[in-house]
Amino acid sequence: MIRTMHRSRLLSFSSSLVLLFCLISESAAGERRPVSIDDLYRFDAPTDVAISPDGASAVYVRRWNDRKSRTERQSLWRSDKDAEHAKAMESGQPDARRPIFSPDGRWLAFLSTRDLPDGKPAFAPVAPYSDPATDIWLMPAAGGKAIPLAGPDKPYGRVMSDPFYGALAFSPDGRRLVFVADDGRDRRTKAEIENNVQIVREDQGEGYEGYTAAQIWIADLTEKPGEGKNKVAAKQVHRITNDDCWYGDPQWSPDGRSLVVHANRTDDRESVRYSINKNYDLWRIDLADNSLTQLTTGPGPQVSPRFSPDGKRLLCLSVPRQGSHRDMFNLLLVDLAPSGPSSHLLFDHHGPTAEAPPHLSPSFPLPSDCWLSNNKIYFSASHRTGSAQQVIDLAKGPEALDDGAGSDASAKDHSERLALESDARKKLVPSGNRFLQERAVAKGEIIHWKSFDGLEIEGVLTRPSKPGATQPYPLVLYPHGGPHSRSTSGFNFTVQVLAAAGYAVFQPNYRGSDGYGQKWINADRFDLGGGDMRDMLSGIDHLIEQGVVDRDRQFVYGVSYGGFTTCWLIGQTHQFRAAAPQNAVTDLTAMWGLSDIQSWTEWEFGGRPWEVPQAMREHSPLTYAANVRTPTLILHATGDRRCPLPMGRMYYRALTSAGVETQMVLYPDEGHPIRQLPHQQDVLRRVLDWFSAHDLPRERK
């Protein structure tokens, strides 16, 4: 229910790019016009940067929102001299993503949604709201014609492009490629296909509809890709795993003789999108016979394996339980001794001393190059409203080499290779989204307040960027999803559009939010709609007392659990003039029965609907629909697997039956995150128009 791994919130692509590439000074902001909805089509930035082994070249994906086609596009660009001389690598800029250099720097491998050279599709399609299906292509690193890996007769189906299962990597000797793909086959029997019927089978849910099980494949590359009869890059493709389990994130051992993957090989499976909480373990695959050896045995997920340079150890992320959909990860070291694997945690962020950790909890995934040496590692971490990078010297214990918040740690200071890459990035990769240098970008400020029980809460307040706006401002409460996600102080396009319209935007990190430790994540269990909502309302009271916002001009807009928040609040209070829930949880029994993550409801309330019926009813916003008086705009994606459409329809029918002014808008071919640019435009325009229509001028009160 939370946003996609750091990207699933509305317009998260734009947000992440701006965070990476744009810094706007406060002094200049007053001379520039605010961000507008139309600016959605001005986002254009480099991503997926790959630096050549010698550090002399950079290849990156130019990702931009194309105004003409009204779609997001991606293509390969290369820079050899400096950032200003970067050029597209292919005429017409066809789709390309995730480029990697071969170890000798001569070849690039990348993923693409493009057709084969003869114009035929490279794979069977998946649902438009699923992760894009791709195939693999190779290209000379110096530029040239793109070559399909295996062509129309390939034995695999759709290559996974997601961040949990998908991976593409050259073997250490550069002669092979490992990747993750399904077999592309229709799982129905001949009779089922002839009769056009579907048998309900458990799948991976949000983001994966249309895919079959993710399997591991290895391609043996030809000496001269693209030459010969078939004009492909692979002389042979081997299927390494062959069952109905889903395998992901394959990593080559340094000697190239084995792979390590993460996989849930139990019968208790569920979607991993924004919810890594099932029993994933690490498995070693011996490439001599493709045999599997289990390396970890924890009750919860062990994921994101990374080999040490000498191949004697693995580092991975670990959670000691199957609990919340966003728990704190621990760092787990796996010693690969000849006598068998053994594991130990660097520190237990779930344990009795978790409130005084020697290092922060790492974020998913671990960097692919997280080993700086055989004894030093680095990782990224969420920390309150910001992020941090931390370095640990394993020879000295789990203490991070910084002040505990990660602000002083920099992996490039401990690695010549990363320092070389950092310098190359600065020289060769252009900045992105330059139009923002001409915009008045509102800056988020961190605020603190005491909640109803004395607990100190933190949040982000963004003041209006609209010229002439004065205190007290009209307020939009914009709560994050999850509930175990968080709001950050970085750029957010939705927030900027609201601020440009004259609203102060309040994003509270209520109890249950990520980035504040495991105890904080656990703090709202069994009480969704209780303490967390009072945290938000007490934050609004604080802003009113400070004279920042107008008591009589409050609005609320939220997505996913933020949609739950929106629907819950308008059933408990009449202080909001208008509300806009998007892809909202409205009924917990329906959520359990329809969502792709039943574990979310079961964990948060301690049972299934017939086991805890009173709790499910008491904590469902639908229960309080008769109390609602607030004009409500209901927005919902038709293909949402996480918070399915029937919950939106149920709430709409309840409000219309209660005589509440309401409207419901459906977004076809969309999943939990709304991705299509015209739909993103429509959401923002409708929300602004809805709020404006119910915001009477102050003098008319």
Side-chain angles (χ1 to χ4, degrees), residues 380-623:
S380 298
S382 299
H383 184 61
R384 306 182 75 89
T385 61
S387 60
Q389 188 178 90
Q390 296 204 292
V391 177
I392 295 177
D393 188 335
L394 299 176
K396 298 180 180 179
E399 296 290 335
L401 301 180
D402 61 17
D403 61 4
S407 58
D408 294 335
S410 179
K412 66 182 179 63
D413 294 335
H414 299 267
S415 166
E416 291 185 8
R417 173 180 54 82
L418 291 185
L420 175 69
E421 290 186 1
S422 177
D423 291 341
R425 283 171 181 260
K426 292 177 182 178
K427 175 185 176 183
L428 300 173
V429 181
S431 60
N433 305 322
R434 296 181 182 180
F435 76 94
L436 285 170
Q437 298 173 12
E438 302 170 0
R439 298 293 182 268
V441 177
K443 183 179 180 181
E445 57 187 272
I446 311 303
I447 62 170
H448 301 84
W449 69 95
K450 292 291 183 64
S451 191
F452 67 98
D453 56 359
L455 193 64
E456 184 171 292
I457 312 296
E458 186 175 68
V460 182
L461 174 69
T462 304
R463 297 173 187 263
S465 56
K466 182 178 181 180
T470 58
Q471 293 186 177
Y473 308 117
L475 173 74
V476 173
L477 173 65
Y478 184 41
H480 64 69
H484 311 305
S485 182
R486 65 182 182 134
S487 293
T488 67
S489 55
F491 182 97
N492 180 291
F493 187 66
T494 296
V495 170
Q496 292 298 321
V497 168
L498 292 170
Y503 297 100
V505 185
F506 179 41
Q507 301 171 269
N509 279 340
Y510 49 83
R511 65 192 71 198
S513 300
D514 182 34
Y516 298 84
Q518 189 62 45
K519 183 178 179 181
W520 194 263
I521 282 180
N522 295 340
D524 65 345
R525 191 183 180 199
F526 307 117
D527 192 35
L528 303 188
D532 52 2
M533 302 297 163
R534 295 171 75 181
D535 293 341
M536 300 180 208
L537 294 177
S538 63
I540 294 175
D541 290 342
H542 170 74
L543 293 174
I544 292 172
E545 292 170 3
Q546 297 294 312
V548 177
V549 303
D550 190 331
R551 180 187 303 274
D552 299 318
R553 301 174 70 196
Q554 298 180 39
F555 305 85
V556 56
Y557 166 48
V559 183
S560 190
Y561 188 76
F564 173 100
T565 297
T566 302
C567 296
W568 179 270
L569 286 173
I570 61 177
Q572 307 296 321
T573 176
H574 299 154
Q575 71 188 61
F576 298 98
R577 287 195 172 198
Q582 178 180 322
N583 291 359
V585 179
T586 65
D587 181 86
L588 294 171
T589 297
M591 178 68 182
W592 182 89
L594 300 174
S595 176
D596 61 343
I597 53 167
Q598 291 178 335
S599 65
W600 182 84
T601 318
E602 292 181 20
W603 173 260
E604 298 295 351
F605 295 97
R608 293 167 289 187
W610 56 90
E611 296 167 334
V612 288
Q614 185 174 350
M616 294 273 186
R617 176 174 171 77
E618 289 180 352
H619 291 270
S620 291
L622 186 67
T623 301

Side-chain angles (χ1 to χ4, degrees), residues 225-236:
E227 297 187 6
K229 180 180 178 181
N230 296 323
K231 297 187 182 303
V232 295
K235 57 185 176 183
Q236 194 170 6

